[in-house]
Amino acid sequence: SSHPGARLVIVPRHPERFQAAFDSAQALGFKVQRRSDGQPLAADTQVWIGDSMGEMYAYFQAADIVFIGGSLVNTGCQNIIEPLQCGKPVLFGPSIYNFQAACQEALAAGVAQQIHSAAELVQTVTQQLMQPEIHAQQAAKAAVYLAQHRGASQRIADVIEQHLKQTATSAP
């Protein structure tokens, strides 16, 4: 109600959850639209269900704030790096066991924020929407954080190459 033009975009990870997400939002009285309906987003749509595959980066780019699903309940969180790459403020809950190292590093670097309840999520999102300068600060921090972690694939390839060379020279 404090941001009448805001839209909630829900992107279920598994296709079998698309209909349930739609039905839940509709049951709560929201004006709901699906990505798959192929129609332009209506001005009065409050909840948009991202029922498509392979478009997460587009959803992240369109977002002002990203909450990582699977983290308020005990399902271990999803990937936080992708929305950080898009320069978005990232929020996640206490269940982070699938991405624990990345989440802890992101918290330490100040590029993500951990919340502990649905009420805290609403409060934090509302606060961030009222203070858009937070977005710019977090995007700048995220760019530095991500730059520090680039090149991992090359480093791994170098280690493998070195190991293969050592194996080849020591073979009879």
Side-chain angles (χ1 to χ4, degrees):
S1 63
S2 63
H3 291 84
R7 289 189 182 90
L8 174 64
V9 178
I10 301 173
V11 185
R13 180 168 175 78
H14 302 287
E16 61 271 15
R17 297 281 305 139
F18 293 164
Q19 186 63 45
F22 181 89
D23 293 344
S24 294
Q26 202 167 46
L28 290 168
F30 292 107
K31 169 75 167 128
V32 186
Q33 190 174 340
R34 302 174 205 261
R35 165 73 174 96
S36 64
D37 71 10
Q39 299 298 312
L41 190 60
D44 62 342
T45 295
Q46 297 169 301
V47 178
W48 197 34
I49 304 299
D51 60 346
S52 60
M53 301 299 289
E55 297 185 328
M56 280 306 294
Y57 276 97
Y59 292 122
F60 292 143
Q61 289 292 2
D64 291 319
I65 301 167
V66 175
F67 171 69
I68 303 298
S71 63
L72 271 181
V73 294
N74 192 26
T75 57
C77 197
Q78 298 298 327
N79 189 343
I80 68 163
I81 302 301
E82 293 167 342
L84 287 173
Q85 288 175 321
C86 295
K88 304 301 175 175
V90 175
L91 308 172
F92 55 82
S95 180
I96 59 171
Y97 59 83
N98 286 330
F99 291 91
Q100 188 165 354
C103 289
Q104 290 173 337
E105 287 180 17
L107 288 172
V111 298
Q113 186 174 347
Q114 190 170 35
I115 51 94
H116 296 89
S117 68
E120 186 180 359
L121 174 61
V122 170
Q123 178 185 10
T124 302
V125 168
T126 301
Q127 179 184 30
Q128 287 192 13
L129 287 173
M130 294 173 74
Q131 298 174 337
E133 66 275 5
I134 292 173
H135 302 283
Q137 292 169 358
Q138 214 160 7
K141 286 181 183 179
V144 170
Y145 170 77
L146 292 168
Q148 293 169 346
H149 290 83
R150 282 199 174 89
S153 297
Q154 184 61 53
R155 289 190 298 275
I156 291 169
D158 292 345
V159 168
I160 292 170
E161 180 183 25
Q162 183 64 31
H163 177 74
L164 291 173
K165 285 179 180 177
Q166 289 173 351
T167 303
T169 58
S170 63

